[in-house]
Amino acid sequence: ASVSVSEPRGVLRCTATPSLEKCFSKYFSSDSSPKRPQSSYLTFLNKQRDFYKKKYPDLNHHQLMKEIARIWRELPQHEKEHYEASVKPEWDKYKEQMAKYRSQLNPMEDAALKEEKRIKKEIRKQARIKRELTAFGKPKRSRSSFNIFVSEHFQETEATSSKERFKALCEEWKNMPSPQKQVYSQLAEDDKIRYANEMRSWEQQMKASGRGDVLNYKFTMIRKRKKPETEPLS
């Protein structure tokens, strides 16, 4: 799993889904594959980003992206069609190039390419669902004793980079006496209770508001599969 340190609390989080680079390291993936053109939304974003950045100077990058996404969702259909029409020639060209490219693949390579596409789609889907659950106010998961330790000491650790800080904290945690670790273990147990209580309250709230469907979202780890044996493209 990939590791990152979130700001501003410096809380360590491990994502269940591997990074794309690692996830596809076992798959066939040719650099000669046609590149997907921009979507109509990305075209809108790139053209309007500077305008909205000046219009909302107090918003940070994340807030600005959320605001532009909201504006796009509420954009009149005829304005969306303008952006869709602007990218249509590139998409038509891409589909032709992709059809030609796939016609040159052997069955094993074609199957691997389909699997790569499926994994990318699943990753995007899970990211979207997580954003929706956050918007619905789903409680943050409980933290482990090690995560709590890192969050408390990350900023004060003397190191030149986040990677070095994390490495130093790992070493400190490894050598920490058991009585000191027990303090963080108790904090982790308390956090589990907090999470369980908040989840019960949140689930009741979702059911009462008619959104019990969001409780059925499931997240699965995207696992690597054995790299298929393929022959080089001719």
Side-chain angles (χ1 to χ4, degrees):
S2 60
V3 178
S4 62
V5 180
S6 62
E7 297 293 344
R9 296 175 61 198
V11 180
L12 177 71
R13 298 190 183 280
C14 297
T15 59
T17 303
S19 66
L20 286 178
E21 182 181 355
K22 292 182 179 179
C23 190
F24 297 145
S25 61
K26 296 294 184 181
Y27 288 88
F28 161 80
S29 181
S30 174
D31 291 336
S32 62
S33 173
K35 305 305 178 185
R36 290 170 63 90
Q38 286 188 346
S39 65
S40 53
Y41 168 67
L42 284 180
T43 302
F44 168 79
L45 173 64
N46 290 334
K47 287 187 176 181
Q48 302 296 333
R49 182 190 287 110
D50 289 342
F51 171 78
Y52 288 112
K53 189 174 182 179
K54 293 178 180 178
K55 185 176 181 180
Y56 303 109
D58 296 333
L59 298 183
N60 60 36
H61 177 75
H62 179 68
Q63 293 170 332
L64 180 63
M65 293 302 101
K66 288 183 65 175
E67 180 63 17
I68 295 177
R70 182 194 65 78
I71 293 171
W72 170 258
R73 289 194 299 269
E74 298 176 0
L75 206 65
Q77 186 58 37
H78 71 275
E79 293 188 39
K80 282 188 178 181
E81 290 174 355
H82 166 75
Y83 289 98
E84 291 168 357
S86 68
V87 300
K88 187 177 184 302
E90 288 297 319
W91 276 94
D92 290 342
K93 181 180 178 181
Y94 166 75
K95 290 176 182 178
E96 292 178 3
Q97 292 175 336
M98 198 63 188
K100 181 178 179 180
Y101 172 76
R102 294 189 66 170
S103 69
Q104 300 173 8
L105 302 179
N106 63 43
M108 292 293 288
E109 291 169 338
D110 189 55
L113 204 63
K114 288 180 180 178
E115 181 66 4
E116 181 176 313
K117 182 178 180 181
R118 184 193 69 79
I119 291 176
K120 287 182 178 180
K121 183 177 180 180
E122 183 65 21
I123 290 174
R124 290 195 298 267
K125 177 184 176 182
Q126 293 197 18
R128 175 181 56 80
I129 290 174
K130 287 183 178 181
R131 288 195 300 269
E132 290 179 358
L133 292 177
T134 299
F136 281 126
K138 183 180 180 181
K140 290 185 178 181
R141 295 185 63 85
S142 58
R143 296 177 294 166
S144 68
S145 54
F146 175 65
N147 271 331
I148 295 174
F149 166 73
V150 171
S151 68
E152 287 188 354
H153 299 283
F154 186 80
Q155 297 297 337
E156 66 190 41
T157 302
E158 295 182 0
T160 57
S161 66
S162 296
K163 182 178 180 180
E164 290 299 322
R165 287 183 181 184
F166 178 65
K167 184 178 179 180
L169 288 172
C170 284
E171 190 65 24
E172 185 177 345
W173 177 261
K174 180 180 177 181
N175 298 322
M176 183 180 294
S178 295
Q180 287 183 250
K181 282 188 177 180
Q182 186 59 38
V183 175
Y184 293 100
S185 296
Q186 184 58 54
L187 290 174
E189 289 299 317
D190 293 342
D191 202 34
K192 284 183 181 179
I193 296 173
R194 183 275 310 166
Y195 177 67
N197 291 337
E198 289 183 357
M199 277 297 296
R200 280 195 293 269
S201 177
W202 180 73
E203 289 173 356
Q204 292 173 358
Q205 181 183 351
M206 289 296 99
K207 291 177 181 179
S209 63
R211 290 310 309 267
D213 58 300
V214 304
L215 306 179
N216 298 323
Y217 288 144
K218 301 294 182 182
F219 298 96
T220 57
M221 178 178 288
I222 311 266
R223 299 186 182 277
K224 300 176 183 177
R225 294 186 181 179
K226 185 177 180 181
K227 181 179 180 181
E229 295 181 1
T230 62
E231 299 177 1
L233 292 176
S234 57

